[in-house]
């Protein structure tokens, strides 16, 4: 089982779209796939029309309830979801009171290693105890990054944080997201991308924004649009990197 954290300190960079579409493509390729929605905004859960079975992550984090008791099937074969709601905003506070608080997510996921081939973590923005859990649990971090100065700055902040907290062994793979070649800055960043960036670039697309209206992964309603094709190529590249690790 490989765990892929889809993370950025910054919000609004395409994390949820990446987690949902990569997870969906993974399942369509025959891999047993789980998406864990860790963001209290619950956007992944909204896209799949799924609400949590139990309010709040308290019992889950304390080990009073197993993950497989709260995982729900989606409408898509081989693809399950662990949904979130606004009560997940308290996860940091709950983790603070626990022993080994930065390894809790990994401990919860380990028993699922025979049930899933891939786990995608749809992460909330900012650096917190939840994100430190993600860093320790993930086989690799996919970091959607808009080709702008501020997004690049948060990428560098993330890299500095990982190095400073002895987490530098976790691969960090930037993904240029919401890219618009008509914009000079975007074009310049795409021509000189951050180190270890995916070759695949997700273009800015109104089709991606429609995921919220259709409440479906992109390939389910616009499989031939440039963004859908880019996600497919991204997934292939991600798999090659995971297998090479």
């Amino acid at each position: 089982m490989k765990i892929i954290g889809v993370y950025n300190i910054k919000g609004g960079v395409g994390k949820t779209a990446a987690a949902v579409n990569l997870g969906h493509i993974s399942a369509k390729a025959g891999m047993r796939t789980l998406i864990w929605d860790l963001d209290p905004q619950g956007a992944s859960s909204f896209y799949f029309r799924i609400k949590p079975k139990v309010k709040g992550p308290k019992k889950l984090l304390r080990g009073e309830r197993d993950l497989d008791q709260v995982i729900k099937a989606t409408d898509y074969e081989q693809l399950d979801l662990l949904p979130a709601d606004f009560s997940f905003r308290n996860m940091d506070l709950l983790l603070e009171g626990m022993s080994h608080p930065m390894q809790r997510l990994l401990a919860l996921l380990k028993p699922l290693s025979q049930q899933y081939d891939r786990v995608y973590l749809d992460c909330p923005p900012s650096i917190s105890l939840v994100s430190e859990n993600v860093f320790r649990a993930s086989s690799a971090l996919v970091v959607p990054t808009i080709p702008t100065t501020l997004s690049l700055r948060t990428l560098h902040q993330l890299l500095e944080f990982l190095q400073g907290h002895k987490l530098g062994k976790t691969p960090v793979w930037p993904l240029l997201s919401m890219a618009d070649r008509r914009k000079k800055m975007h074009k310049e960043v795409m021509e000189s991308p951050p180190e270890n960036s995916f070759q695949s670039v997700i273009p800015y697309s109104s089709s991606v924004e429609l995921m919220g209206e259709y409440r479906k992964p992109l390939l389910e309603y616009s499989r031939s649009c440039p963004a859908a094709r880019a996600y497919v190529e991204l997934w292939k590249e991600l798999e090659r990197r995971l297998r090479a690790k």
Side-chain angles (χ1 to χ4, degrees):
M1 182 177 78
K2 298 289 188 185
I3 301 170
I4 302 101
V6 184
Y7 174 81
N8 192 315
I9 296 172
K10 195 173 185 301
V13 296
K15 290 190 300 293
T16 295
V20 167
N21 287 312
L22 287 171
H24 176 247
I25 295 166
S26 169
K28 284 180 75 73
M31 290 186 167
R32 299 165 299 170
T33 304
L34 170 69
I35 298 174
W36 187 349
D37 188 354
L38 289 163
D39 193 332
Q41 296 178 64
S44 294
S45 308
F46 176 80
Y47 285 153
F48 288 109
R49 303 171 188 265
I50 291 175
K51 293 181 179 178
K53 193 181 291 184
V54 178
K55 288 280 182 184
K58 189 174 180 178
K59 289 187 177 179
L60 198 61
L61 293 175
R62 286 182 173 176
E64 297 169 2
R65 188 178 289 267
D66 293 334
L67 276 191
D68 55 10
Q69 292 179 290
V70 293
I71 288 171
K72 292 191 172 184
T74 70
D75 292 338
Y76 310 104
E77 196 172 347
Q78 302 271 49
L79 181 58
D80 292 339
L81 177 75
L82 206 165
D85 63 18
F86 200 55
S87 62
F88 273 60
R89 72 190 186 281
N90 297 321
M91 260 183 105
D92 271 329
L93 292 174
L94 294 169
L95 285 167
E96 275 182 9
M98 295 179 176
S99 58
H100 308 294
M102 287 185 288
Q103 298 174 19
R104 198 69 199 124
L105 256 60
L106 182 58
L108 289 168
L109 284 166
K110 273 184 177 175
L112 301 180
S113 61
Q114 300 303 311
Q115 295 180 44
Y116 293 102
D117 302 304
R118 297 289 181 266
V119 176
Y120 287 87
L121 304 177
D122 180 15
C123 306
S126 80
I127 286 190
S128 63
L129 266 179
V130 175
S131 48
E132 288 193 54
N133 268 270
V134 169
F135 303 154
R136 293 174 192 280
S138 295
S139 310
L141 291 175
V142 173
V143 186
T145 303
I146 299 174
T148 62
T149 305
L150 279 181
S151 275
L152 292 175
R153 181 171 175 266
T154 58
L155 174 62
H156 294 309
Q157 287 175 328
L158 170 63
L159 294 171
E160 287 176 4
F161 180 89
L162 293 174
Q163 289 295 337
H165 289 74
K166 300 180 180 178
L167 290 164
K169 291 183 179 178
T170 306
V172 176
W173 296 333
L175 163 65
L176 294 183
S177 171
M178 301 167 69
D180 187 343
R181 289 186 179 276
R182 296 169 300 180
K183 297 181 178 178
K184 183 181 176 186
M185 181 181 291
H186 285 213
K187 193 176 176 183
E188 287 175 352
V189 175
M190 282 186 275
E191 288 171 354
S192 299
E195 189 177 358
N196 296 321
S197 291
F198 289 100
Q199 290 184 351
S200 306
V201 173
I202 306 301
Y204 175 80
S205 171
S206 57
S207 297
V208 176
E209 293 177 339
L210 288 173
M211 286 173 66
E213 184 172 334
Y214 291 116
R215 299 181 74 175
K216 292 179 177 179
L218 184 56
L219 264 68
E220 291 295 318
Y221 62 86
S222 187
R223 62 181 305 115
S224 60
C225 75
R229 295 199 301 270
Y231 277 118
V232 171
E233 292 307 310
L234 170 64
W235 176 78
K236 291 177 183 175
E237 194 177 351
L238 173 61
E239 283 298 317
R240 286 196 294 272
R241 290 191 181 196
L242 290 171
R243 291 189 180 116
K245 274 192 69 201

